[in-house]
Each structure stands twice: as C-alpha cells, then as structure tokens.
Amino acid sequence: MANDESGQEKVIIVGAGPVGALAALYAASRGDNVEIYELRGDLRDPSTTPLNFTKSINLALSERGINSMRHANRNGLLDEVLSETIPMHGRMIHGQGKDGKLYEEPQKYDAKGRYIRAVDRAVLNKRLLDHLEQMPNVTLYFNHKLTGADFNKNIAWFEQRNIVKTDHAQNPTGDRSVKSEPDRPKEITVDFDLLIGADGAHSASRYHLMKFARMTYQQEYIDTLWCEFHIKPRATDGSFLISPNHLHIWPGGSFMFIAIPSLDGSFTCTLFAPASYFASLAASPQAELVSSFARSFPGVCPELIPPEELQKQFTDNPHLPLISIKCTPYHYRSSVVILGDAAHAMVPFYGQGMNAGLEDVRVLFDFMDAHDVYSNSPKLATSRKERREGALNAYTSERTPDAAAINNLALRNYEEMRSGVKSPVYRMRKWLEETINIYLPNLGWSTQYSRVSFENQRYSELERATARQGKIIISTVGLGFLGITGFTIFGLFQTHYRRR
C-alpha cells in the first residue's frame, strides 16, 4: 500500500484477460505498483486451457477497443495489435435461391467505408501481457485463485494452486505471507489500495464485492446455446475458401451460423441455436446433422466443412450457454471496482463485449484523472483515497446505464442477424439512414451499427438517438402513406362524382 500521500499506490488486478491486462497498463503508466492475479496458467502458453474450453476465439475489434488501447500510453502497442487483425468491411449473407443456386449478398457496415477487425483473442492477450512484462512496476501471478476479500481493510486472499510452475519468473513467491496445510493449495494474503476485478462473467471479485456493496444483480441465460466449428484453409495453397474481409452469416430464422476469418486462412465458426435444436441433433442419427445444415445453412457442408468433420466438431466441441448480466454499483468506497464481463456480461451478437470492457478501462481512468487521483499537488483539500472514491462513484453513475443499453442492444441484434438482415424493412431503413448521413451530414444521422462500432458516443445516448431516428422515419413514412392514400381516395371520389 502507499507509504504516504505522495507515494506510489498498490493496485491489484484480478484477471489477466484483455480487460485486466489493459487496466494494468493504465495503472502502471500512472505510476502505480501493479500486481495481476490470474486463475489460469500463463495465457500465452498454448497448453493453458481457456475457461470455456474452446480451442480458439476470434473477436470483433472496433473503434471503442482501439481507442482505449490508443490511450494506454504504450508506444507500438496499437500498431502491433492492428497488424495482426483482418479488416471486415461488412456482412456476407449466405443463402439459397428458389432455383437451388447458392448466393452471397454483401452488406457494408458503414456508408463511409469504416470497418471492424477480426482479432484472435489469444494474440491480443499476448501483446498486452508482453507489454506488461516490460514494465518494472508490474508483476504477474498465474495460477492464483481469489478466495476472499475484506474491502474495509483492503486485504485479499488467494490460493496458489499446486500446478503453478515454481521456476516461472512471473510466479514469484518471495517472503509473502503464506498459510498452508498438507495436500492443500497455499493461501497468500495480499494488501492493496485498489482492487480491480476483471475476472469475467463468473467473477469472484463481484461475488466478494456483493458482501460489502448493496448490489442490485440480474442474471439471465437466454434460450440459445453455441458450438464452435472450424473451416480449414484451402488445401492446395492455404488461402481462404470464402472472402476474408467479411463476417459471414447464414441466417436461419430462429438460429444462425457465422464465420470469422483467422490469419492462418481458416475461419472460426459458431452455431447459435435454441437448446431444443441442439438436443434434437444430439439425439438424431449423425446423418441428420448434415441434412439439417444443408437445409438451414446451404453452402457450409460439404462445400466448406466435410461431413465427417462437421459431425466430429459437433460431437467433440462443447455446447455452451449464453449469459447476460446486469448489476450496480460497480464499486465499494475507494477499495474495489469491477470491469468488463464481471460488471456487465452480454451476449455476443453486437461484437461489443470485449470492446465495452476495454472502454470501461478508459472511462474509469478518465474519471481518475478528472478527480486528480494521481495528482501530488499540496493544494488539494482531499486525500487520494477520497478522490478515488469520488472517481469510482462517477464511474458507476455513468457506466451503469451505458452497460445496460449495450446489453439490451446485443440481445435485440440477435434477431437482426438471424433473420432481420434479409428483411426489406431493415434494408430500407439502413439505406435511408446512410443516405441522410452522406447527403445531410449536419443532421447528425447515422445507423445504430455505425454509432456502436465506429464512434465513441455513450451507449445510452446512441440508443436514445437511434430511437428518435426510428420515430421520425416511421412518422415520415406514415405521413407519406397517408398522403398517398388520401390523394388516391380524393381522385377516386372526384372520378365517381363526375360520372354522376
């Protein structure tokens, strides 16, 4: 902990994923002594098993995440990350016409040509952790499980799991306070000035925070499971079998199949469907899986995934649930704050889970700076602890409605992706909003997707702005329809009157 008002403070981060790693970079760049505690082994080690037991996760990186890394004060970080991404300029909608021919329909994300990027989560995590290792005031502790915390006394307890590599330079034990019993993991006691919890949807940090803060908590599992599939590169030359610059969607009404490109020429794919659909496929003969894909996702099997591979991947890969979490407050006094999925886990249908978590980091430290948490000026009337509590209060107040907004938008976007992308109404509204944005830019109109993915406007504000646009469109179209109808009726009336 801090030795005096002007000294460095000790910040511990629970969770070494992208959000926790970025939070550590922000804190360390401001002079804090930072310790990161991660439940799993070194996330850069290929043998480390992800918590969801999937082989790989490709994510969509957009402006909010990029902007947050841009402000991390690490030369070269953003360039390194972006060099290992693939631009995705829009969606590619797959289907089959009435004549039986397969078709692909590209839909640009943005009228101005802006795009999102496909990024491998492990590669992004590696870049962030590599930068942390270069900082002298950062220490990484892997295979450490948070087991308890007292946020009044600013003490946390961790189990040092037995599988820890004791010769690993990033797992020092030193002369730390350790309690142990035979055949039990060692328990260490850690003090801190601030604990930042970035340990995911099933957060231990949030669990212990609930014992101190009067937290309102809502958790929902939607009736959709997901399973990962893999499209291999072309066998002859290792190239992509389909366009690498699109997010590919096979909409199926109540379910969908998507594919996101990887740097090695492959695609990470995901089947999203109701639990009953998975159950019916699991209970059916293996041939039913192939025929079901042929009906619902034409062009996937055997064109992209051979039947035997499709069956193997469906059987071997787990069928996992999707959780949505809302809670508030995100902090307790000046001692603890939670970020990312620990604070607001959301379904993945807007590609904003990681981006929102990275933005949490930027917003949190913007408030810390605005409240002079890192100022050593003797003219300040309050202590650093009091200023930090004010910053955490402001963070919770602003971020709670924003997290609720993107959580709701993500749920609604599932319907758009699985069926709305083929709707004439959806296409008409998208065209109208983009046309107004291009030719009447002073009106400030933009599609909801562009506001979410290519701007840094608060989620709650863009949700209201998009709703206003929708009402104007409906009113305008309604008035136009009434005008046309009225004119037609008037013409028919005149014609009838003259005939008399």
Side-chain angles (χ1 to χ4, degrees):
M1 299 179 73
N3 294 325
D4 53 58
E5 182 62 21
S6 62
Q8 291 179 310
E9 293 201 318
K10 181 176 177 181
V11 174
I12 68 173
I13 315 282
V14 182
V19 175
L22 186 64
L25 283 173
Y26 269 69
S29 69
R30 285 161 172 77
D32 286 331
N33 287 317
V34 178
E35 295 179 357
I36 306 174
Y37 294 85
E38 168 59 45
L39 173 64
R40 296 161 289 179
D42 192 331
L43 303 180
R44 295 164 293 183
D45 186 340
S47 67
T48 299
T49 304
L51 290 181
N52 57 13
F53 304 105
T54 56
K55 296 176 183 176
S56 62
I57 301 177
N58 280 18
L59 301 171
L61 178 63
S62 57
E63 168 58 20
R64 295 172 192 273
I66 293 171
N67 187 48
S68 300
M69 286 187 282
R70 186 180 295 126
H71 287 84
N73 297 322
R74 290 297 298 176
N75 291 332
L77 171 63
L78 186 58
D79 290 339
E80 292 171 18
V81 170
L82 296 184
S83 70
E84 298 179 292
T85 64
I86 300 176
M88 295 190 293
H89 295 274
R91 297 164 174 163
M92 184 69 77
I93 310 303
H94 293 258
Q96 189 171 30
K98 293 181 180 180
D99 58 0
K101 293 183 179 179
L102 300 176
Y103 67 81
E104 294 180 341
E105 178 192 313
Q107 294 182 356
K108 285 187 177 181
Y109 281 132
D110 182 65
K112 298 178 180 178
R114 294 174 292 185
Y115 52 86
I116 62 176
R117 297 169 181 266
V119 61
D120 186 301
R121 178 191 172 102
V123 171
L124 172 61
N125 220 153
K126 181 180 186 303
R127 291 287 165 258
L128 293 167
L129 292 174
D130 286 348
H131 272 262
L132 283 170
E133 272 193 330
Q134 298 169 17
M135 305 184 78
N137 54 331
V138 175
T139 309
L140 300 170
Y141 296 94
F142 295 105
N143 297 301
H144 280 68
K145 178 182 179 180
L146 178 66
T147 57
D150 186 330
F151 294 121
N152 287 321
K153 297 180 180 179
N154 286 23
I155 297 173
W157 294 272
F158 293 87
E159 277 186 356
Q160 185 176 313
R161 304 175 73 189
N162 292 329
I163 59 172
V164 65
K165 299 176 182 178
T166 55
D167 60 341
H168 196 298
Q170 291 303 322
N171 281 291
T173 54
D175 58 355
R176 319 185 102 231
S177 176
V178 176
K179 295 185 298 181
S180 63
E181 296 178 15
D183 302 320
R184 289 178 64 96
K186 295 179 180 178
E187 184 176 83
I188 62 173
T189 302
V190 182
D191 60 9
F192 57 86
D193 292 290
L194 174 65
L195 183 149
I196 298 177
D199 47 343
H202 303 286
S203 168
S205 303
R206 186 185 63 236
Y207 171 76
H208 294 296
L209 171 59
M210 285 178 167
K211 300 172 184 177
F212 293 84
R214 291 177 294 179
M215 180 181 288
T216 299
Y217 177 82
Q218 177 185 337
Q219 172 181 302
E220 177 186 4
Y221 282 97
I222 68 171
D223 184 26
T224 299
L225 301 179
W226 66 278
C227 178
E228 183 181 285
F229 292 82
H230 188 72
I231 296 175
K232 294 180 179 179
R234 197 182 307 275
T236 54
D237 59 5
S239 62
F240 293 97
L241 287 174
I242 50 179
S243 166
N245 298 121
H246 292 86
L247 187 154
H248 295 263
I249 303 177
W250 285 260
S254 61
F255 38 75
M256 70 175 180
F257 188 82
I258 69 170
I260 299 178
S262 300
L263 289 170
D264 64 358
S266 67
F267 284 82
T268 297
C269 310
T270 311
L271 169 64
F272 296 99
S276 58
Y277 181 80
F278 276 92
S280 65
L281 291 179
S284 302
Q286 290 187 339
E288 174 59 24
L289 176 66
V290 176
S291 61
S292 176
F293 262 67
R295 292 191 303 270
S296 303
F297 314 120
V300 172
C301 181
E303 291 86 348
L304 302 176
I305 306 177
E308 61 276 9
E309 279 294 316
L310 187 77
Q311 293 169 350
K312 184 177 188 304
Q313 292 178 34
F314 180 80
T315 302
D316 292 351
N317 293 341
H319 305 163
L320 299 168
L322 293 170
I323 191 171
S324 174
I325 291 174
K326 298 176 184 176
C327 68
T328 194
Y330 297 147
H331 76 288
Y332 176 71
R333 295 183 177 175
S334 64
S335 304
V336 57
V337 63
I338 54 175
L339 310 176
D341 284 353
H344 47 69
M346 65 191 73
V347 293
F349 305 118
Y350 230 123
Q352 284 296 298
M354 178 187 69
N355 291 286
L358 297 177
E359 188 178 56
D360 285 347
V361 176
R362 180 187 63 78
V363 173
L364 171 64
F365 282 88
D366 280 351
F367 278 120
M368 297 265 237
D369 294 339
H371 285 73
D372 295 316
V373 172
Y374 292 99
S375 174
N376 294 321
S377 172
K379 297 180 180 180
L380 293 170
T382 55
S383 67
R384 182 174 294 184
K385 184 176 180 180
E386 291 171 319
R387 300 196 297 274
R388 184 169 58 245
E389 182 171 358
L392 300 189
N393 270 318
Y395 172 78
T396 285
S397 297
E398 176 170 306
R399 208 60 181 155
T400 297
D402 289 343
I406 188 56
N407 202 306
N408 294 334
L409 290 173
L411 283 166
R412 292 201 293 268
N413 205 49
Y414 184 31
E415 182 176 351
E416 178 180 305
M417 291 180 70
R418 70 189 186 190
S419 60
V421 289
K422 300 171 72 173
S423 164
V425 175
Y426 163 78
R427 295 176 185 177
M428 183 190 74
R429 174 169 176 171
K430 185 175 186 291
W431 173 84
L432 182 59
E433 290 177 328
E434 289 180 339
T435 301
I436 293 173
N437 177 252
I438 293 172
Y439 294 104
L440 298 170
N442 291 336
L443 292 180
W445 275 44
S446 185
T447 64
Q448 179 174 279
Y449 190 91
S450 291
R451 291 179 188 272
V452 168
S453 298
F454 307 123
E455 300 173 13
N456 292 292
Q457 183 181 21
R458 290 181 58 187
Y459 289 121
S460 56
E461 292 177 354
L462 72 85
E463 185 180 35
R464 290 192 294 270
T466 305
R468 284 195 299 270
Q469 286 181 193
K471 290 178 181 177
I472 293 171
I473 291 173
I474 292 172
S475 299
T476 303
V477 173
L479 287 173
F481 176 77
L482 288 174
I484 294 171
T485 303
F487 184 79
T488 303
I489 292 173
F490 179 72
L492 291 173
F493 172 76
Q494 279 192 319
T495 302
H496 175 73
Y497 182 78
R498 288 169 181 167
R499 286 177 179 174
R500 293 183 62 188

